[in-house]
Amino acid sequence: MLILPWPPSLNHYYRRIGARTLISREGRAYREDVCALLAGSGPRKPPVGGRIALCMDAFPPDRRKRDLDNILKSILDALEHAGLYEDDSQIDLLVIRRCECIEGGRLVVRVDAFPVSVCPICGARVNPN
């Protein structure tokens, strides 16, 4: 389980400069923050080509209306950049759940091998058949 800061929305993650689209300063800073947080958790061996399930509990920083899908690109790219997995195309199950607001916001992220043996939402055992 990883506890990460609230990411910038997709609306703030990219910037257009002429014909080019770049990751914004805010987006690059977020990626660096995630890399620094994961660097303290010791060496990781990303699953090369392995299929994964990624589940997130999103604790927004305030009660403003938000689309949860607007935070996905920044967090998935940051986790890939930090070496948690080789490429986000490995994700076969992606679950994001909105939780209560907490000051500053937070994401709780779990990465498991896919297929999963336990439901990421309710914790019930999953029948492999």
Side-chain angles (χ1 to χ4, degrees):
M1 178 172 54
L2 306 168
I3 298 174
L4 302 174
W6 188 259
S9 76
L10 192 58
N11 301 331
H12 296 277
Y13 190 69
Y14 289 111
R15 288 288 174 250
R16 285 200 49 89
I17 301 175
R20 296 175 55 190
T21 301
L22 306 170
I23 296 175
S24 68
R25 182 176 295 136
E26 184 180 359
R28 290 190 311 271
Y30 184 76
R31 233 172 40 173
E32 291 169 10
D33 289 347
V34 170
C35 287
L37 286 169
L38 295 184
S41 63
R44 289 173 317 284
K45 186 174 184 180
V48 178
R51 311 315 299 166
I52 58 176
L54 194 142
C55 305
M56 287 184 256
D57 285 332
F59 297 85
D62 54 47
R63 295 195 181 279
R64 284 186 295 160
K65 184 177 174 182
R66 304 172 186 275
D67 296 340
L68 284 180
D69 61 333
N70 276 346
I71 65 171
L72 287 174
K73 184 65 176 166
S74 54
I75 187 63
L76 295 178
D77 283 354
L79 292 172
E80 178 182 328
H81 193 76
L84 192 61
Y85 43 80
E86 191 173 74
D87 187 85
D88 55 13
S89 67
Q90 293 174 256
I91 300 170
D92 282 346
L93 176 66
L94 178 61
V95 177
I96 184 167
R97 174 173 53 180
R98 186 187 319 268
C99 299
E100 69 272 6
C101 295
I102 61 170
E103 187 175 336
R106 174 182 313 154
L107 288 177
V108 177
V109 179
R110 292 174 307 284
V111 179
D112 295 303
F114 186 83
V116 295
S117 58
V118 176
C119 173
I121 301 297
C122 68
R125 304 254 331 125
V126 176
N127 186 351
N129 296 331

